[in-house]
Amino acid sequence: MEKFYISTAIAYASSKPHIGNTYEIVLADAIARFKRWQGYDVYFQTGTDEHGQKIEEKAINSSKNPQEYVDEVASEVKRIWDVMNTSYDKFVRTTDPKHKEVVSKIFKKLYEQGDIYKGKYEGLYCTPCESFFTESQLVDGKCPDCGREVEKAEEEAYFLKLDRYAKKLEDYIEKHPEFIEPVSRKNEIVNNFIKPGLQDLCVSRTSFKWGVPVTFDDKHVIYVWIDALSNYITFLGYDLEHSSEEFKKYWPADIHLIGKDILRFHTIYWPIMLMALNIPLPKKIFGHPWLLSGDDKMSKSKGNIVYADDLVNLFGIDAVRYYLLHEMPFGQDGTFTYELLIERINSDLANVLGNLVNRTISMANKYFNGSVKNTKKIEKIDNDLFKVIDSAYVKVSEKMEELRVADAIDEVFEIFRRANKYIDETTPWTLAKEEEKQERLETVIYNLIEAIRHGSILLQSFLPDTSKEIFRQINISLLNKEDVVEEYNVIAPTPIFARIDKEAKLKEIFE
């Protein structure tokens, strides 16, 4: 069985993740579920990044020690990932003792082979991002990543030599165009960072203690990026001497799924670390866009943060999953507003899908007491419905291969839209009035249930609970395109998605 290793970036354990952070885990989950359905041996890793100055400061402000603080946040991150029904195989934490031990060994090895050296850092530092910048990298005098104030900092530090591997990395990216996607992100990394020349990377700190200690110099802790990025291999069982069978099986990763704001860390620093360790590079690093709140990036300072569990309480898991997966255009930022979410639930989930399932099962019960056979009274009008079903399998697979998840969902909904149109074309209620048309009526209802079954097979990677409920109502568990059902025995319909009164719902949320 072919393997497939997908990871998210590990969430920084400084606070509860908002809906924008949650988008990434849901996106990764949809990809992982689809690959499992295709028959891959999938390994899906996520977790929390738990060291650094920001966490040390937050712990002090909360009158907790840092370990207590990250224990609480990590458990909250995991809870949110579970609320969103994500199927990760391993949830990792960088305070894990084995991880810290291997990170220390990696740091020491790179130092001993001359890839890390001791120097002094003078620069502009952003505490929330835990990043140093030069004057020219600032935007309007502020951090280019988060827009906050930076401050001058000077301290003794160890550095990773980037220029030693810069040409090798540039050549690798040139020869492997699929390595960084979308292509706009690749161009940004090559033209804005690699070609102008890479400055050596600060990889240790002395101004705080909450980190993995440098074993041979106890004044220093290993800086966040060597610690955090190594999670992709350490938790698979990588070790300098004897790596695990799991590591040998799953590495290199097939996809690192990350936010565009941490692209350079994953496409420059991480590959260079791997090159220095003589480890193969991941096959693809995909920098997904942001989910904006209205027109702005979510932030506590703007007071526009929305949390996934609150949305689930208001609208249900799959409605939130659908919005996240469907409303993020490929390579462009998406927008979240309550109005848009409600409109999408009403138009797609209630009108297109919910209405189709409810009408079809109701007709099966009304006309045939729930037992519907394929009488094979096929007419020309049926062929277009069958074509849409067949082509959806091909198109969804193609879109998922390109990581165009929103487009893949659209292809699934083409089946449901076409089935609704088929009801209007065949008018089952008219056929029901004519005795000699009963076999044709049964075939029409059978074709509709078939369309619903095939659509639900494809939908299960994106809306797993909804698919499960549809399978329950049509009383079937055959999940392959090739499966043949000669007779359906459906149960009483239950509405899958109800229409929402937008004004009343908004009043409930904001008042």
Side-chain angles (χ1 to χ4, degrees):
M1 194 188 289
E2 200 175 339
K3 68 87 185 173
F4 184 82
Y5 171 14
I6 182 169
S7 68
T8 68
I10 46 177
Y12 196 46
S14 58
S15 58
K16 178 178 176 176
H18 57 64
I19 192 71
N21 310 133
T22 308
Y23 164 65
E24 185 174 297
I25 187 77
V26 175
L27 180 65
D29 179 63
I31 296 165
R33 284 178 184 271
F34 193 78
K35 285 291 182 183
R36 287 192 200 103
W37 175 74
Q38 287 183 313
Y40 285 80
D41 173 5
V42 172
Y43 174 77
F44 171 16
Q45 181 172 298
T46 186
T48 40
D49 168 12
E50 301 185 6
H51 291 123
Q53 184 176 4
K54 186 177 174 183
I55 285 171
E56 188 174 81
E57 288 175 2
K58 286 208 165 200
I60 291 164
N61 293 337
S62 306
S63 304
K64 293 175 180 140
N65 70 48
Q67 189 63 56
E68 284 174 331
Y69 184 84
V70 294
D71 285 348
E72 285 178 17
V73 177
S75 123
E76 184 66 355
V77 171
K78 190 172 186 301
R79 184 185 73 80
I80 299 281
W81 285 189
D82 292 342
V83 161
M84 293 310 300
N85 193 12
T86 58
S87 60
Y88 55 84
D89 295 290
K90 194 176 284 187
F91 187 95
V92 305
R93 300 182 54 191
T94 57
T95 48
D96 177 87
K98 180 63 181 171
H99 166 77
K100 296 199 296 189
E101 180 194 322
V102 178
V103 165
S104 294
K105 288 183 188 174
I106 288 170
F107 192 95
K108 189 162 185 276
K109 177 180 168 63
L110 295 179
Y111 176 72
E112 286 172 349
Q113 66 191 31
D115 289 309
I116 286 177
Y117 65 91
K118 195 176 195 175
K120 188 171 81 167
Y121 199 93
E122 293 179 67
L124 299 156
Y125 184 66
C126 174
T127 300
C129 293
E130 308 218 357
S131 295
F132 282 104
F133 298 98
T134 60
E135 196 80 51
S136 63
Q137 289 173 320
L138 301 182
V139 175
D140 299 327
K142 293 180 179 173
C143 171
D145 288 343
C146 74
R148 293 183 180 89
E149 298 290 339
V150 293
E151 52 195 47
K152 284 189 176 172
E154 179 181 323
E155 62 180 276
E156 179 185 271
Y158 286 90
F159 292 83
L160 177 65
K161 287 184 180 173
L162 299 185
D163 59 347
R164 179 180 277 190
Y165 296 95
K167 183 72 176 75
K168 188 177 177 184
L169 177 59
E170 191 176 347
D171 290 346
Y172 184 89
I173 294 169
E174 188 64 37
K175 285 178 190 152
H176 299 82
E178 74 292 345
F179 178 57
I180 305 172
E181 288 187 355
V183 69
S184 57
R185 309 262 186 261
K186 181 186 88 166
N187 296 339
E188 176 191 324
I189 289 299
V190 173
N191 298 330
N192 296 3
F193 293 97
I194 298 176
K195 283 191 186 295
L198 296 173
Q199 293 185 311
D200 290 349
L201 176 70
C202 174
V203 290
S204 80
R205 301 295 305 281
T206 58
S207 53
F208 61 91
K209 287 295 174 199
W210 183 241
V212 180
V214 174
T215 51
F216 52 87
D217 191 341
D218 60 8
K219 277 197 308 182
H220 291 257
V221 293
I222 296 170
Y223 196 30
V224 62
W225 292 109
I226 282 194
D227 170 16
L229 289 164
S230 298
N231 93 86
Y232 302 124
I233 56 175
T234 58
F235 288 97
L236 266 183
Y238 169 77
D239 209 332
L240 272 63
E241 295 83 29
H242 302 291
S243 294
S244 71
E245 289 307 310
E246 197 178 26
F247 174 77
K248 292 170 191 168
K249 177 181 180 180
Y250 288 110
W251 191 261
D254 293 85
I255 301 176
H256 286 327
L257 198 63
I258 58 159
K260 63 180 182 176
D261 50 333
I262 53 171
L263 193 68
R264 79 171 180 281
F265 306 109
H266 283 80
T267 57
I268 297 175
Y269 310 151
W270 178 226
I272 284 176
M273 280 168 60
L274 291 169
M275 285 173 173
L277 292 166
N278 201 26
I279 297 172
L281 270 51
K283 293 179 187 175
K284 190 187 302 295
I285 295 165
F286 187 84
H288 65 74
W290 287 333
L291 181 66
L292 305 176
S293 179
D295 297 323
D296 289 325
K297 192 181 176 193
M298 288 184 198
S299 75
K300 282 192 174 162
S301 59
K302 289 175 181 164
N304 63 354
I305 287 187
V306 179
Y307 294 108
D309 52 342
D310 293 336
L311 287 180
V312 167
N313 289 335
L314 286 164
F315 301 103
I317 297 165
D318 276 2
V320 178
R321 282 180 66 105
Y322 181 79
Y323 189 87
L324 289 175
L325 294 170
H326 185 264
E327 292 306 297
M328 293 293 282
F330 184 82
Q332 295 168 26
D333 292 337
T335 298
F336 172 82
T337 67
Y338 285 101
E339 290 85 351
L340 282 171
L341 172 56
I342 293 166
E343 283 165 21
R344 189 56 73 193
I345 290 168
N346 286 342
S347 63
D348 295 2
L349 299 179
N351 280 10
V352 175
L353 176 56
N355 196 29
L356 170 68
V357 174
N358 201 280
R359 285 169 84 191
T360 301
I361 295 176
S362 295
M363 288 190 291
N365 281 302
K366 180 179 179 181
Y367 301 134
F368 300 103
N369 294 318
S371 180
V372 181
K373 292 188 293 294
N374 183 9
T375 62
K376 298 183 180 163
K377 288 286 179 186
I378 300 295
E379 293 184 7
K380 198 174 175 185
I381 202 167
D382 302 349
N383 294 330
D384 190 52
L385 177 64
F386 303 150
K387 269 186 204 160
V388 170
I389 292 168
D390 285 340
S391 69
Y393 279 96
V394 176
K395 289 175 179 175
V396 170
S397 295
E398 286 172 352
K399 301 297 185 198
M400 290 300 286
E401 197 58 37
E402 297 167 357
L403 304 183
R404 293 180 176 270
V405 176
D407 295 341
I409 294 175
D410 271 339
E411 296 297 347
V412 179
F413 268 72
E414 273 307 298
I415 296 177
F416 303 135
R417 288 190 180 92
R418 186 65 191 84
N420 276 315
K421 186 181 173 193
Y422 179 76
I423 294 175
D424 297 335
E425 291 167 339
T426 55
T427 62
W429 49 90
T430 306
L431 295 172
K433 292 172 185 168
E434 300 180 45
E435 189 62 43
E436 70 276 13
K437 295 284 179 75
Q438 292 309 293
E439 285 192 341
R440 173 59 186 158
L441 172 62
E442 193 166 0
T443 291
V444 166
I445 305 295
Y446 171 86
N447 289 345
L448 285 167
I449 303 174
E450 272 285 272
I452 289 167
R453 177 173 72 93
H454 285 291
S456 300
I457 288 169
L458 288 168
L459 192 65
Q460 63 190 326
S461 301
F462 314 109
L463 309 186
D465 285 351
T466 300
S467 292
K468 208 176 284 180
E469 176 57 18
I470 293 171
F471 294 138
R472 187 188 74 80
Q473 292 192 31
I474 63 173
N475 201 14
I476 207 87
S477 58
L478 298 174
L479 303 182
N480 291 309
K481 179 178 186 284
E482 294 72 27
D483 291 329
V484 176
V485 183
E486 290 297 346
E487 181 177 357
Y488 285 100
N489 292 286
V490 303
I491 64 169
T494 310
I496 297 171
F497 291 101
R499 277 188 65 79
I500 296 170
D501 180 330
K502 184 159 83 166
E503 300 310 318
K505 196 70 171 177
L506 292 174
K507 197 172 177 188
E508 176 194 330
I509 293 165
F510 292 113
E511 287 186 8

